[in-house]
Structures are given as structure tokens and as C-alpha cells.
Amino acid sequence: MAVGPAAPARVAPVSRVPGPAEPIDVTVVGRRMAAADVVELTVARPATEPLPQWTPGAHVDVLLPTGAVRQYSLCGDPADDRSWRLGVLREPAGRGGSGWLCEHAVEGTSLTLRGPRNNFALVDAERYVFVAGGVGITPVLPMVHAADRAGRPWTLWYGGRHRSSMAFLDELTRYGDRVRIRPEDESGLLDLAGVLADAGPGTLVYCCGPAGLIDAMQNRCRSLPAGTLRVERFTAVSQPVDDGADRDIEVLCQASGLTVPVPAGCGILDAVRRAGLDVLSSCTEGICGTCETTVLDGVPEHRDSLLTEEERAAGDTMMICVSRARGDRLVLDL
């Protein structure tokens, strides 16, 4: 009996995945410059204790000694439960997290992490188009490896200011012309029409990078089927706010039985914490998903930069660090 070629492995579908709440103590076991301004840190637990499992697109919270919490994508191999790899872009105009890590995180440094959490999960598709700008390559890199191992057709378009600023180029050479390296000083901005020429039926497009790149991709993909484009942002987007949305509201915390008044100008997260509830949060900007909360009743006024349009319309979850209510009352699973 003739036997045809084996079916390609599936990329397991994964929805947004909340991470473990308990902090993880790790030690920096490796450090190198992955690009001119990108430090690659490899961390591990002491002795032989394995690290939690993760999937391509996941990130961890880094709880810095300064009290700040910052998110960094995992860019190593998900099959490796002994070490994690992070790519940290030094941002002189940032809030200090990358500066601390680039200056102080050397081999032997102890760090505290939380997670991993996945808001940018790779789901099964017939074909992939990956688009990365600058340090946006960090969550995309393990996606490329996973798609390749699964036997799925894929293309990666990778843009940056110049080659010396683009991390992990050495790892991508093995894929040949499936990887399109486009430094801006050599090729100009990414040709998004060319990028999307491969986005036929059955294709998912994953994009991570600067806000301008993501905005341009979203505009270009409006004519494609809903859900074709998946993005992850590093910075929050200003959201339109309904008139009167900052009115006083009331939040019933169903699981704890508390009713919490939330005055105008006060966030839901701050109000429920003041009422004594221990709610995890991280970015406080609506981009990391740490404070995502189930909505049992009421209509949220979404101000995050994470939920899809379909999730916003469903109204059954919200990021309480930035979002409020369209009415006078919400019932939350808190």
C-alpha cells in the first residue's frame, strides 16, 4: 500500500494565557550583546528546579529592585525548561527598567520574575506571515522556530534602523530567503503591500514592533478577514473615551461580596485595592493583561491596547487598570 507524506505537525492553538501569580527567583547565567543596544540575558533557577512551561509569544514580568515591574518577551526555546532567554532593548528615554537591567544584570545577578503570560499566542494556520520591527523580533523568533518545526509555510519580514541594531540576525540565517531583512538605512521602510502579498486565505499575520509599524499594518489589513492580523504592542495606545465615562461608578466584587465605589478620576484597580482586595497588576497601562478580569454584568468602557475588537464587543472581560464602565455599575469576578 502506498504511503503518502506525513501530515505536518500542528501548531497547538493557544488562547490568551494568564501566568502563575507566584514570583520566581532566578539567576542570570548568561549575558551577551545581541545587537548594538539589545542585551540578551539567559536566566535559570538554582540547582535543577525546572522553570514553568511557556508557548511562543509569551512574556514575563521582571520585578526590579527599584520597585518597577517591566515586561519582556521570552525568545528562547519553549522546550528548554532549565533556562529562559530575554532580549532587553536599552531605552534612554524609557522609564528606567531597561537601563537597570542593561547596567546591573550580569552573570550571577539575582532577579525575580512573574509569569509567563501569553497575550500573543501562535495559533494553528495554513500559512504565516511574520512582521517584526526592531526589538519586536523577540516574541516572533520562537514563533518562526515553531512554525518551521510544524512544517507550515511562513515568511518573516524584519525591519530595523540598521543591521547593527537588529538582534538575532545570526540565528535567522539558517532559514535563507524565507527571512527578508530590511534595514531602513539600506531599504527604507518595510513595503507593507509586498509583505501582505503572501497573506492569502488561511494565512495569519503576526506583527510586533514600534507603534507606527503596528498602526500601518492595522490600516493595511482592514480589508482582510477579521482575526487575520495578530499584534502585540510595547506601548499603550490612546483610546477614545465616551462622554461622561469618568462618572462615579459602583463595582460589585462578586467573589468577595464587596461593593466598591469608584469615584470619577479613580481607576477600578486602585479602588478595589484600597478596599482590601489583592489584585495582581503590572504595566498599569492596559498592555500586559495581568489585571484582566471577568465581567459578570454591566458594560465595560474599554481603554486597553490588548483586547481584540471581537473581545471588546463581547464585553465579558476587561483590563481594570485603565478601563471603566459605560453605565453606573459593573459586576466583576473579584
Side-chain angles (χ1 to χ4, degrees):
M1 181 175 67
V3 178
R10 287 180 58 81
V11 176
V14 182
S15 59
R16 193 162 52 248
V17 178
E22 293 301 317
I24 303 167
D25 293 325
V26 299
T27 302
V28 177
V29 297
R31 174 188 170 111
R32 75 174 182 107
M33 297 303 298
D37 295 314
V38 179
V39 175
E40 176 193 290
L41 298 176
T42 302
V43 302
R45 273 180 161 171
T48 58
E49 191 175 358
L51 289 159
Q53 294 183 335
W54 61 281
T55 53
H59 70 268
V60 293
D61 298 336
V62 180
L63 284 62
L64 297 169
T66 60
V69 180
R70 298 291 183 267
Q71 295 76 44
Y72 295 96
S73 297
L74 294 172
C75 54
D77 182 357
D80 180 5
D81 65 357
R82 299 298 169 181
S83 66
W84 284 346
R85 187 172 66 163
L86 312 175
V88 181
L89 171 67
R90 175 186 281 277
E91 298 181 273
R95 297 179 293 166
S98 66
W100 191 96
L101 287 169
C102 291
E103 291 174 14
H104 299 287
V106 297
E107 289 192 30
T109 300
S110 296
L111 295 174
T112 300
L113 310 182
R114 191 170 59 213
R117 180 179 301 104
N118 201 336
N119 304 322
F120 192 43
L122 184 68
V123 299
D124 197 46
E126 296 176 15
R127 178 183 177 82
Y128 299 98
V129 175
F130 300 110
V131 185
V135 78
I137 190 63
T138 51
V140 171
L141 189 63
M143 292 184 178
V144 166
H145 297 334
D148 194 68
R149 283 194 297 266
R152 293 289 188 264
W154 61 269
T155 305
L156 166 63
W157 295 79
Y158 182 13
R161 292 183 179 178
H162 40 77
R163 286 181 186 270
S164 65
S165 69
M166 300 171 69
F168 308 118
L169 291 180
D170 52 342
E171 294 186 29
L172 294 169
T173 57
R174 61 175 162 164
Y175 294 122
D177 62 5
R178 283 181 292 175
V179 177
R180 318 286 171 81
I181 305 299
R182 297 292 187 269
E184 187 176 342
D185 61 349
E186 298 176 21
S187 310
L189 296 175
L190 285 174
D191 173 15
L192 299 189
V195 167
L196 294 173
D198 293 330
T203 300
L204 288 182
V205 181
Y206 281 81
C207 179
C208 184
L213 172 62
I214 293 178
D215 292 344
M217 284 293 294
Q218 288 180 324
N219 287 332
R220 282 276 181 176
C221 290
R222 293 191 189 283
S223 61
L224 298 178
T228 297
L229 177 64
R230 313 293 176 93
V231 305
E232 181 163 70
R233 293 181 179 271
F234 294 140
T235 56
V237 177
S238 178
Q239 302 288 346
V241 177
D242 284 357
D243 291 340
D246 277 330
R247 68 175 73 85
D248 295 351
I249 63 172
E250 182 180 83
V251 172
L252 171 59
C253 302
Q254 180 96 353
S256 57
L258 290 176
T259 298
V260 180
V262 184
C266 175
I268 293 174
L269 176 65
D270 291 336
V272 297
R273 280 180 166 173
R274 289 172 187 169
L277 295 185
D278 184 15
V279 181
L280 283 179
S281 71
S282 181
C283 72
T284 67
E285 295 181 333
I287 58 175
C288 75
T290 306
C291 70
E292 184 171 5
T293 301
T294 299
V295 179
L296 302 175
D297 192 28
V299 181
E301 168 69 26
H302 295 294
R303 301 182 187 179
D304 65 276
S305 302
L306 179 59
L307 294 176
T308 66
E309 290 303 317
E310 293 78 12
E311 289 170 326
R312 288 168 179 265
D316 54 12
T317 188
M318 67 185 296
M319 307 303 158
I320 61 172
C321 64
V322 291
S323 299
R324 288 183 66 83
R326 291 193 175 182
D328 297 323
R329 185 174 183 267
L330 285 172
V331 182
L332 302 180
D333 187 19
L334 289 172

